[in-house]
């Protein structure tokens, strides 16, 4: 029995999909990823379906609207946030129809507080990140909105075990002090790790398996572990050898890893053994028990699929599912498939 909400040798997606047909996207997800499906996002539908707008529509008592410079807090909700809520409501209606009798893990995604703070502007035009008090209010509002969203999904699919993924591509820049000001002529001050941890903790529901997706270099593993995330999703192609010790510490502490191994945009499909190999080799280099690989590691595309064609998106999810099965094979069989000597775990 796995100690994680999914069965061993599972695969899933990051979140975004191409096109505008949310019903077909849901059918694709549940058809190709029956062990760990998720609620897809379709930013191609326009303003309000983007990552920022979709999550901003969940905020409680913090209305937003779209200005020429992007999303901004305002006195009352603009029509674009109403559009975002309509998109999400239709997505949940379709989810209820397609997954009404589903039982098992179900992943949903939302933008994390730091990426949101680095994106949404305050009423007077600077980014929310520039005002620590505004960031605190944003985190509190997001926490309430996420709790409501999780409850809504549970009500629509009672048999689901909900996993919440927060997308934080902007977090490394927030910590490094590289986020530009609204004018673009300066950089906002770096956020200290303890403050980053505190705001992340604020938004995490206590009764939900939480993971964070960061498809950027310099993933702040220590901050994410301290904040309490149970899983980390990343592009394995961006992981550097100097980061592997921290990855090993996280694995040893029980953190699950969702490893992006298939390109997020159209590319030739590779053999499933080749797709799985980077994850297997990382696990072996770190010296962990091969028998635990399939339970603690989930395979995904490298990032969202919004920039892919619909046929490629389907093929990419299928390839992740097929490659994930390789992780569950006997190590000798697996290594024989790849033409290598079996690695031996040390931990």
């Amino acid at each position: 029995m796995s100690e994680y909400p999914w069965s061993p040798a599972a695969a899933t997606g990051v979140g975004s999909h191409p096109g505008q047909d949310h019903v077909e996207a849901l059918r694709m997800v549940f058809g190709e990823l029956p062990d760990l499906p998720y609620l897809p996002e379709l930013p191609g539908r326009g303003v309000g379906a983007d990552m920022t707008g979709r999550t901003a529509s969940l905020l409680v008592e913090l209305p937003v609207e779209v200005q020429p410079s992007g999303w901004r807090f305002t006195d009352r909700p603009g029509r674009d946030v109403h559009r975002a809520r309509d998109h999400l409501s239709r997505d949940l209606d379709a989810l209820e129809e397609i997954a009404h009798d589903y039982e098992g893990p179900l992943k949903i995604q939302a933008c994390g507080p730091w990426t949101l703070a680095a994106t949404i502007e305050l009423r007077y035009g600077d980014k929310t990140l520039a005002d620590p008090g505004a960031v605190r209010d944003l985190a509190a509002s997001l926490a309430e909105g996420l709790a409501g969203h999780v409850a809504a999904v549970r009500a629509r699919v009672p048999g689901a075990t909900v996993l919440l993924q927060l997308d934080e591509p902007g977090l490394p820049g927030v910590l490094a002090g590289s986020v530009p000001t609204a004018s673009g002529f300066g950089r906002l001050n770096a956020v200290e790790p303890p403050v980053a941890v505190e705001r992340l903790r604020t938004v995490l529901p206590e009764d939900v398996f939480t993971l964070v997706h960061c498809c950027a270099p310099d993933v702040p593993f220590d901050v994410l572990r301290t904040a309490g995330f149970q899983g980390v999703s990343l592009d394995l192609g961006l992981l550097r050898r100097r980061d592997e010790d921290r990855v090993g510490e996280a694995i040893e502490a029980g953190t699950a890893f969702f490893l992006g191994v298939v390109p997020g945009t159209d590319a030739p499909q590779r053999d499933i053994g080749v797709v799985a190999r980077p994850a297997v080799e990382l696990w072996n280099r770190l010296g962990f028990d091969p028998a635990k690989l399939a339970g603690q590691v989930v395979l995904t595309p490298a990032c969202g699929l919004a920039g892919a064609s619909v046929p490629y998106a389907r093929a990419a999810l299928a390839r992740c599912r097929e490659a994930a099965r390789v992780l569950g094979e006997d190590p000798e069989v697996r290594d024989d498939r790849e033409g290598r000597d079996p690695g031996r775990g040390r931990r």
Side-chain angles (χ1 to χ4, degrees), residues 67-129:
Q67 296 288 327
S69 57
W71 289 95
R72 178 178 292 185
F73 289 115
T74 186
D75 293 328
R76 60 182 61 86
R79 63 180 180 180
D80 296 310
V81 78
H82 289 300
R83 185 179 294 118
R85 288 170 180 164
D86 287 343
H87 284 316
L88 185 55
S89 179
R90 285 194 293 271
D91 290 350
L92 292 177
D93 288 343
L95 176 67
E96 183 175 14
E97 177 184 349
I98 291 171
H100 65 280
D101 58 352
Y102 173 76
E103 295 183 357
L106 173 64
K107 183 168 72 71
I108 59 176
Q109 305 82 221
C111 187
W114 288 110
T115 297
L116 216 57
T119 306
I120 301 179
E121 295 179 354
L122 298 167
R123 290 180 179 84
Y124 58 80
D126 210 343
K127 291 183 178 178
T128 303
L129 184 61

Side-chain angles (χ1 to χ4, degrees), residues 76-262:
R76 60 182 61 86
R79 63 180 180 180
D80 296 310
V81 78
H82 289 300
R83 185 179 294 118
R85 288 170 180 164
D86 287 343
H87 284 316
L88 185 55
S89 179
R90 285 194 293 271
D91 290 350
L92 292 177
D93 288 343
L95 176 67
E96 183 175 14
E97 177 184 349
I98 291 171
H100 65 280
D101 58 352
Y102 173 76
E103 295 183 357
L106 173 64
K107 183 168 72 71
I108 59 176
Q109 305 82 221
C111 187
W114 288 110
T115 297
L116 216 57
T119 306
I120 301 179
E121 295 179 354
L122 298 167
R123 290 180 179 84
Y124 58 80
D126 210 343
K127 291 183 178 178
T128 303
L129 184 61
D131 183 338
V135 175
R136 183 178 58 248
D137 293 343
L138 170 62
S141 174
L142 180 59
E144 189 173 349
L146 289 174
H149 184 41
V150 168
V153 173
R154 285 172 169 164
R156 302 291 188 119
V157 191
T161 299
V162 176
L163 286 68
L164 174 62
Q165 172 187 304
L166 294 185
D167 295 320
E168 282 284 15
L171 181 56
V174 167
L175 294 169
S178 61
V179 176
T181 59
S183 68
F185 295 114
R187 294 290 182 270
L188 296 173
N189 292 334
V191 172
E192 294 297 322
V195 177
V197 166
E198 184 177 357
R199 299 293 166 256
L200 289 169
R201 281 179 174 167
T202 297
V203 305
L204 298 186
E206 294 182 356
D207 59 343
V208 179
F209 185 99
T210 56
L211 63 144
V212 62
H213 173 70
C214 186
C215 55
D218 298 315
V219 175
F221 295 104
D222 294 339
V223 166
L224 301 178
R225 280 183 58 201
T226 306
F229 286 99
Q230 296 155 285
V232 176
S233 171
L234 54 84
D235 178 351
L236 188 51
L238 296 179
L239 187 69
R240 295 162 298 190
R241 287 295 182 96
R242 71 188 190 195
D243 297 322
E244 290 187 4
D245 283 345
R246 289 184 296 163
V247 171
E249 291 170 359
I251 290 174
E252 199 155 27
T255 303
F257 274 83
F258 288 51
L259 301 180
V261 292
V262 172

Side-chain angles (χ1 to χ4, degrees), residues 2-81:
S2 174
E3 61 182 290
Y4 302 98
W6 53 86
S7 58
T12 192
V14 173
S16 66
H17 271 240
Q20 300 182 29
D21 190 337
H22 63 290
V23 175
E24 180 55 32
L26 269 165
R27 287 176 177 152
M28 180 192 300
V29 166
F30 276 83
E32 299 298 340
L33 302 169
D35 295 327
L36 185 45
Y38 57 98
L39 181 63
E41 305 161 357
L42 281 74
R45 292 182 291 188
V47 174
D50 58 292
M51 180 177 69
T52 300
R54 190 174 177 89
T55 303
S57 74
L58 299 174
L59 295 175
V60 177
E61 297 183 356
L62 284 180
V64 294
E65 64 179 3
V66 174
Q67 296 288 327
S69 57
W71 289 95
R72 178 178 292 185
F73 289 115
T74 186
D75 293 328
R76 60 182 61 86
R79 63 180 180 180
D80 296 310
V81 78

